[in-house]
Amino acid sequence: MKTYFTKVFLLAVVTTSLISCDSELDIKNTNRLATEEYYQSQDEAQAAVDAIYNGLIIDGNYQRMTPIMGDARGDEARSRSPWIFLAQTANFTVPSTDGALEIAYLGYFTVINRANQALEAIGQIEDIEPELRDRLIGQAYFLRALAYFNATNVYDNVPLVLEVQTGAETFFPSNQETTQADIYAQIESDLNEAITRLPVSYDNVSGPDIGQAARATVGAANSLMGKLKLYQGDYGGALPYFQAVVNSGEYDLAPNYGDLFSQDPAIENANPGRIFWAEFTQSANVDFNWGGDPTVNWRQFSAIAPTYSGADFYDFIPTQFLVDELKQERTINDEIDPRYPATILSYLPDEGLTQSYGQPYFLDQNENYIAKYTLANTGGDPFVCGINYHVIRFADVLLMYAECLANTGDIPSAATHVQRVRDRANLPDREAEFAGYNLNQFMEQLAHERVTELAIEGLRWYDIKRWGWLDDPAKLNELEANDPDFSTYTSNRNYQPFPQTELDRNPNLVGNSAND
């Protein structure tokens, strides 16, 4: 199960940068099949979809850069990296000329272009079981929607590329008339297609994908649709999608919070709270999965482990704000919130926290380090870290559902879902208190609940933006107090700049406000 997404055929198609295609460079590679020679069977249709999933585990997506784009720009973590790109991403000053901006941009379009290719190919192959065809098409639409959701939230008005690029004109798409509203509308269209085709799970399907749990489901599509509506402030529109997930009976909260970030396959597979995730493994194969065409020698490790680890690259540290938030409440047994040691590595002997990386604590005892998505609590080689990355998990859906309920007038029901998340952390029952809050009070509490449950999961920056805090001088001052990197934030820096390399390649592309 852990490796099937990398067992894909290498096809002679464009899958990454939107580059020019000069006829003088049209040299046939005899080691690779052309698309017209390849797509003939059901197995090849599934391979086309598997190739899309493979794009999720490269550097531009969930191996490293997509989480960093969220974590660095929020107030939960600060960069201390010698890599200037990470430091300038964190303090909102990265110039468009920094070549590293292209990593995520190409990562998103790798997924988008592979999804376009799969959608075209599946339509051409006649000999596919009808139900499998629907599932494959549904997965391609979901994955394209996910890639565009990430791309537009990072870069704003990226070009809409919805067909396989086959000639010089299609290699130079324009975004000059494209708005984020247009992109959101396309994401909604793709998700509507996915929702009608995807199964609840793959446990009982009939076909070669039976039992393959990492594939997109209707629960994942409903969750992303709800999130899409929420990000546009359409609380009422989001409600039925979150409600469908919460009431489906398919998901629950894992009893042990720390198990959410284990690389033990048995613990990962037993987690009832995962809805959609990027699969990584502990393979020690020789080729690193930074990007490009996959090979049978690819390892599939999560690079967040060495990047965030205090014992390795040590590129990020938790802010004191995050430390204080996670220490704010103790459990009903007067113990530290169990989410603290799963998120932050600290030397706290009074709390029984005296280990780091599977050894007696050897780091600076006066500093705090990031634990989540690293091997801080277990030890091991970070370059074979196999912790799956949660793209959508049930606790996030519960808190987003609560936000929508509160903003449509049902704060008591919203309080129930918030307390459900708190119960897993063994925190005091404050449901009745929350139920009596007005909307402003509830949203302040919800912000706390989200940061303690979902810290260092790439979400906080997007919460800050959609809540309007960047436009509120008092909130902006608060953010700067939480994280001094906000002292260099300016209003044109809500997005990463378009990579200058991409603007140079494509004469029809225009930058966003951060390129000004």
mmCIF file of all heavy atoms in Angstrom, residues 63-92:
data_model
loop_
_atom_site.group_PDB
_atom_site.id
_atom_site.type_symbol
_atom_site.label_atom_id
_atom_site.label_comp_id
_atom_site.label_asym_id
_atom_site.label_seq_id
_atom_site.Cartn_x
_atom_site.Cartn_y
_atom_site.Cartn_z
ATOM 1 N N GLN A 63 5.914 17.146 0.652
ATOM 2 C CA GLN A 63 7.186 16.714 1.211
ATOM 3 C C GLN A 63 7.809 17.814 2.074
ATOM 4 O O GLN A 63 8.399 17.551 3.102
ATOM 5 C CB GLN A 63 8.175 16.307 0.107
ATOM 6 C CG GLN A 63 9.433 15.661 0.676
ATOM 7 C CD GLN A 63 10.612 15.683 -0.277
ATOM 8 O OE1 GLN A 63 10.688 16.537 -1.157
ATOM 9 N NE2 GLN A 63 11.542 14.763 -0.103
ATOM 10 N N ARG A 64 7.636 19.088 1.638
ATOM 11 C CA ARG A 64 8.255 20.173 2.409
ATOM 12 C C ARG A 64 7.626 21.539 2.156
ATOM 13 O O ARG A 64 7.171 22.208 3.083
ATOM 14 C CB ARG A 64 9.755 20.226 2.120
ATOM 15 C CG ARG A 64 10.504 21.272 2.910
ATOM 16 C CD ARG A 64 12.002 21.210 2.722
ATOM 17 N NE ARG A 64 12.419 21.355 1.324
ATOM 18 C CZ ARG A 64 13.662 21.668 0.963
ATOM 19 N NH1 ARG A 64 14.609 21.841 1.872
ATOM 20 N NH2 ARG A 64 13.967 21.781 -0.313
ATOM 21 N N MET A 65 7.549 22.008 0.919
ATOM 22 C CA MET A 65 7.281 23.424 0.673
ATOM 23 C C MET A 65 5.855 23.859 0.999
ATOM 24 O O MET A 65 5.650 24.969 1.510
ATOM 25 C CB MET A 65 7.615 23.776 -0.772
ATOM 26 C CG MET A 65 9.096 23.980 -1.010
ATOM 27 S SD MET A 65 9.760 25.313 0.017
ATOM 28 C CE MET A 65 11.498 25.151 -0.340
ATOM 29 N N THR A 66 4.860 23.055 0.703
ATOM 30 C CA THR A 66 3.491 23.472 1.012
ATOM 31 C C THR A 66 3.289 23.638 2.515
ATOM 32 O O THR A 66 2.720 24.652 2.948
ATOM 33 C CB THR A 66 2.478 22.499 0.395
ATOM 34 O OG1 THR A 66 2.509 22.654 -1.034
ATOM 35 C CG2 THR A 66 1.065 22.768 0.880
ATOM 36 N N PRO A 67 3.737 22.706 3.369
ATOM 37 C CA PRO A 67 3.652 22.981 4.804
ATOM 38 C C PRO A 67 4.410 24.239 5.222
ATOM 39 O O PRO A 67 3.923 25.022 6.051
ATOM 40 C CB PRO A 67 4.267 21.721 5.429
ATOM 41 C CG PRO A 67 4.011 20.645 4.432
ATOM 42 C CD PRO A 67 4.164 21.318 3.101
ATOM 43 N N ILE A 68 5.595 24.436 4.650
ATOM 44 C CA ILE A 68 6.396 25.602 5.023
ATOM 45 C C ILE A 68 5.670 26.904 4.696
ATOM 46 O O ILE A 68 5.703 27.869 5.476
ATOM 47 C CB ILE A 68 7.768 25.549 4.331
ATOM 48 C CG1 ILE A 68 8.691 24.566 5.057
ATOM 49 C CG2 ILE A 68 8.429 26.936 4.283
ATOM 50 C CD1 ILE A 68 10.017 24.339 4.377
ATOM 51 N N MET A 69 4.993 26.957 3.537
ATOM 52 C CA MET A 69 4.296 28.190 3.145
ATOM 53 C C MET A 69 3.274 28.608 4.198
ATOM 54 O O MET A 69 3.039 29.803 4.415
ATOM 55 C CB MET A 69 3.585 27.998 1.805
ATOM 56 C CG MET A 69 4.495 27.739 0.630
ATOM 57 S SD MET A 69 5.525 29.134 0.194
ATOM 58 C CE MET A 69 6.283 28.468 -1.294
ATOM 59 N N GLY A 70 2.643 27.625 4.849
ATOM 60 C CA GLY A 70 1.685 27.951 5.897
ATOM 61 C C GLY A 70 2.351 28.222 7.231
ATOM 62 O O GLY A 70 2.052 29.215 7.910
ATOM 63 N N ASP A 71 3.273 27.345 7.616
ATOM 64 C CA ASP A 71 3.871 27.464 8.946
ATOM 65 C C ASP A 71 4.758 28.691 9.087
ATOM 66 O O ASP A 71 4.726 29.383 10.108
ATOM 67 C CB ASP A 71 4.689 26.201 9.261
ATOM 68 C CG ASP A 71 3.829 24.961 9.401
ATOM 69 O OD1 ASP A 71 2.656 25.098 9.780
ATOM 70 O OD2 ASP A 71 4.339 23.854 9.120
ATOM 71 N N ALA A 72 5.577 28.980 8.075
ATOM 72 C CA ALA A 72 6.529 30.086 8.185
ATOM 73 C C ALA A 72 5.820 31.426 8.296
ATOM 74 O O ALA A 72 6.296 32.326 9.002
ATOM 75 C CB ALA A 72 7.467 30.093 6.975
ATOM 76 N N ARG A 73 4.684 31.576 7.603
ATOM 77 C CA ARG A 73 4.041 32.888 7.556
ATOM 78 C C ARG A 73 3.025 33.099 8.664
ATOM 79 O O ARG A 73 2.509 34.212 8.828
ATOM 80 C CB ARG A 73 3.398 33.088 6.176
ATOM 81 C CG ARG A 73 4.436 33.194 5.062
ATOM 82 C CD ARG A 73 3.803 33.452 3.721
ATOM 83 N NE ARG A 73 3.054 32.300 3.241
ATOM 84 C CZ ARG A 73 2.223 32.316 2.216
ATOM 85 N NH1 ARG A 73 2.018 33.450 1.553
ATOM 86 N NH2 ARG A 73 1.593 31.219 1.830
ATOM 87 N N GLY A 74 2.731 32.060 9.442
ATOM 88 C CA GLY A 74 1.877 32.235 10.602
ATOM 89 C C GLY A 74 2.679 32.744 11.791
ATOM 90 O O GLY A 74 3.856 33.090 11.683
ATOM 91 N N ASP A 75 2.020 32.773 12.961
ATOM 92 C CA ASP A 75 2.694 33.263 14.167
ATOM 93 C C ASP A 75 3.049 32.130 15.117
ATOM 94 O O ASP A 75 3.351 32.372 16.286
ATOM 95 C CB ASP A 75 1.835 34.311 14.885
ATOM 96 C CG ASP A 75 0.449 33.790 15.267
ATOM 97 O OD1 ASP A 75 0.099 32.662 14.866
ATOM 98 O OD2 ASP A 75 -0.286 34.514 15.963
ATOM 99 N N GLU A 76 3.048 30.895 14.619
ATOM 100 C CA GLU A 76 3.384 29.745 15.451
ATOM 101 C C GLU A 76 4.864 29.395 15.395
ATOM 102 O O GLU A 76 5.385 28.748 16.307
ATOM 103 C CB GLU A 76 2.611 28.508 14.982
ATOM 104 C CG GLU A 76 1.111 28.662 14.989
ATOM 105 C CD GLU A 76 0.434 27.522 14.272
ATOM 106 O OE1 GLU A 76 1.023 26.966 13.319
ATOM 107 O OE2 GLU A 76 -0.690 27.182 14.669
ATOM 108 N N ALA A 77 5.530 29.765 14.297
ATOM 109 C CA ALA A 77 6.923 29.370 14.111
ATOM 110 C C ALA A 77 7.713 30.522 13.498
ATOM 111 O O ALA A 77 7.166 31.339 12.756
ATOM 112 C CB ALA A 77 7.006 28.138 13.209
ATOM 113 N N ARG A 78 8.991 30.556 13.821
ATOM 114 C CA ARG A 78 9.908 31.542 13.248
ATOM 115 C C ARG A 78 11.033 30.808 12.533
ATOM 116 O O ARG A 78 11.458 29.730 12.946
ATOM 117 C CB ARG A 78 10.517 32.434 14.326
ATOM 118 C CG ARG A 78 9.517 33.294 15.073
ATOM 119 C CD ARG A 78 10.245 34.399 15.810
ATOM 120 N NE ARG A 78 10.849 35.346 14.874
ATOM 121 C CZ ARG A 78 11.740 36.271 15.214
ATOM 122 N NH1 ARG A 78 12.152 36.349 16.478
ATOM 123 N NH2 ARG A 78 12.237 37.096 14.324
ATOM 124 N N SER A 79 11.517 31.415 11.480
ATOM 125 C CA SER A 79 12.652 30.828 10.775
ATOM 126 C C SER A 79 13.959 31.312 11.385
ATOM 127 O O SER A 79 14.116 32.490 11.712
ATOM 128 C CB SER A 79 12.629 31.201 9.291
ATOM 129 O OG SER A 79 13.811 30.755 8.655
ATOM 130 N N ARG A 80 14.871 30.380 11.548
ATOM 131 C CA ARG A 80 16.238 30.719 11.954
ATOM 132 C C ARG A 80 17.195 30.113 10.935
ATOM 133 O O ARG A 80 18.345 29.806 11.235
ATOM 134 C CB ARG A 80 16.534 30.191 13.366
ATOM 135 C CG ARG A 80 16.306 28.692 13.502
ATOM 136 C CD ARG A 80 16.864 28.122 14.773
ATOM 137 N NE ARG A 80 18.263 28.408 14.952
ATOM 138 C CZ ARG A 80 19.255 27.794 14.315
ATOM 139 N NH1 ARG A 80 18.987 26.839 13.414
ATOM 140 N NH2 ARG A 80 20.504 28.109 14.546
ATOM 141 N N SER A 81 16.689 29.948 9.710
ATOM 142 C CA SER A 81 17.415 29.213 8.687
ATOM 143 C C SER A 81 18.483 30.072 8.010
ATOM 144 O O SER A 81 18.251 31.250 7.732
ATOM 145 C CB SER A 81 16.451 28.707 7.620
ATOM 146 O OG SER A 81 17.140 28.037 6.584
ATOM 147 N N PRO A 82 19.631 29.468 7.684
ATOM 148 C CA PRO A 82 20.601 30.174 6.848
ATOM 149 C C PRO A 82 20.164 30.239 5.385
ATOM 150 O O PRO A 82 20.742 31.005 4.606
ATOM 151 C CB PRO A 82 21.868 29.324 7.007
ATOM 152 C CG PRO A 82 21.367 27.958 7.329
ATOM 153 C CD PRO A 82 20.135 28.169 8.159
ATOM 154 N N TRP A 83 19.145 29.443 5.024
ATOM 155 C CA TRP A 83 18.592 29.505 3.670
ATOM 156 C C TRP A 83 17.715 30.746 3.608
ATOM 157 O O TRP A 83 16.643 30.787 4.198
ATOM 158 C CB TRP A 83 17.816 28.240 3.351
ATOM 159 C CG TRP A 83 17.333 28.169 1.929
ATOM 160 C CD1 TRP A 83 17.621 29.009 0.908
ATOM 161 C CD2 TRP A 83 16.453 27.169 1.383
ATOM 162 N NE1 TRP A 83 16.988 28.615 -0.245
ATOM 163 C CE2 TRP A 83 16.271 27.490 0.017
ATOM 164 C CE3 TRP A 83 15.822 26.061 1.913
ATOM 165 C CZ2 TRP A 83 15.455 26.730 -0.821
ATOM 166 C CZ3 TRP A 83 15.010 25.293 1.077
ATOM 167 C CH2 TRP A 83 14.852 25.627 -0.276
ATOM 168 N N ILE A 84 18.152 31.746 2.889
ATOM 169 C CA ILE A 84 17.487 33.044 2.899
ATOM 170 C C ILE A 84 16.048 32.953 2.420
ATOM 171 O O ILE A 84 15.184 33.731 2.848
ATOM 172 C CB ILE A 84 18.293 34.078 2.065
ATOM 173 C CG1 ILE A 84 17.811 35.496 2.353
ATOM 174 C CG2 ILE A 84 18.260 33.743 0.588
ATOM 175 C CD1 ILE A 84 18.051 35.960 3.768
ATOM 176 N N PHE A 85 15.749 32.000 1.546
ATOM 177 C CA PHE A 85 14.376 31.864 1.064
ATOM 178 C C PHE A 85 13.421 31.581 2.216
ATOM 179 O O PHE A 85 12.321 32.153 2.267
ATOM 180 C CB PHE A 85 14.280 30.748 0.024
ATOM 181 C CG PHE A 85 12.867 30.408 -0.356
ATOM 182 C CD1 PHE A 85 12.106 31.270 -1.127
ATOM 183 C CD2 PHE A 85 12.272 29.228 0.081
ATOM 184 C CE1 PHE A 85 10.790 30.965 -1.462
ATOM 185 C CE2 PHE A 85 10.965 28.911 -0.245
ATOM 186 C CZ PHE A 85 10.219 29.794 -1.024
ATOM 187 N N LEU A 86 13.809 30.708 3.132
ATOM 188 C CA LEU A 86 12.934 30.382 4.253
ATOM 189 C C LEU A 86 12.779 31.580 5.182
ATOM 190 O O LEU A 86 11.675 31.893 5.629
ATOM 191 C CB LEU A 86 13.471 29.179 5.016
ATOM 192 C CG LEU A 86 13.581 27.865 4.247
ATOM 193 C CD1 LEU A 86 13.992 26.730 5.181
ATOM 194 C CD2 LEU A 86 12.278 27.514 3.542
ATOM 195 N N ALA A 87 13.885 32.259 5.456
ATOM 196 C CA ALA A 87 13.829 33.431 6.333
ATOM 197 C C ALA A 87 12.971 34.533 5.732
ATOM 198 O O ALA A 87 12.163 35.171 6.424
ATOM 199 C CB ALA A 87 15.238 33.935 6.608
ATOM 200 N N GLN A 88 13.108 34.772 4.427
ATOM 201 C CA GLN A 88 12.346 35.855 3.796
ATOM 202 C C GLN A 88 10.898 35.465 3.543
ATOM 203 O O GLN A 88 10.025 36.336 3.491
ATOM 204 C CB GLN A 88 13.038 36.275 2.506
ATOM 205 C CG GLN A 88 14.357 36.996 2.750
ATOM 206 C CD GLN A 88 15.003 37.503 1.470
ATOM 207 O OE1 GLN A 88 14.829 36.929 0.392
ATOM 208 N NE2 GLN A 88 15.747 38.579 1.579
ATOM 209 N N THR A 89 10.611 34.184 3.392
ATOM 210 C CA THR A 89 9.216 33.759 3.357
ATOM 211 C C THR A 89 8.560 34.047 4.697
ATOM 212 O O THR A 89 7.433 34.550 4.759
ATOM 213 C CB THR A 89 9.122 32.262 3.026
ATOM 214 O OG1 THR A 89 9.495 32.059 1.653
ATOM 215 C CG2 THR A 89 7.704 31.732 3.225
ATOM 216 N N ALA A 90 9.274 33.763 5.779
ATOM 217 C CA ALA A 90 8.727 33.970 7.113
ATOM 218 C C ALA A 90 8.497 35.442 7.433
ATOM 219 O O ALA A 90 7.552 35.784 8.147
ATOM 220 C CB ALA A 90 9.650 33.351 8.157
ATOM 221 N N ASN A 91 9.351 36.334 6.893
ATOM 222 C CA ASN A 91 9.185 37.759 7.230
ATOM 223 C C ASN A 91 8.609 38.573 6.061
ATOM 224 O O ASN A 91 8.682 39.800 6.070
ATOM 225 C CB ASN A 91 10.492 38.368 7.748
ATOM 226 C CG ASN A 91 11.598 38.400 6.704
ATOM 227 O OD1 ASN A 91 11.343 38.424 5.499
ATOM 228 N ND2 ASN A 91 12.846 38.411 7.169
ATOM 229 N N PHE A 92 8.050 37.869 5.067
ATOM 230 C CA PHE A 92 7.272 38.508 3.996
ATOM 231 C C PHE A 92 8.104 39.402 3.090
ATOM 232 O O PHE A 92 7.616 40.399 2.564
ATOM 233 C CB PHE A 92 6.106 39.321 4.588
ATOM 234 C CG PHE A 92 5.274 38.565 5.583
ATOM 235 C CD1 PHE A 92 5.465 38.723 6.944
ATOM 236 C CD2 PHE A 92 4.313 37.674 5.150
ATOM 237 C CE1 PHE A 92 4.713 38.012 7.867
ATOM 238 C CE2 PHE A 92 3.544 36.959 6.066
ATOM 239 C CZ PHE A 92 3.746 37.128 7.426
#
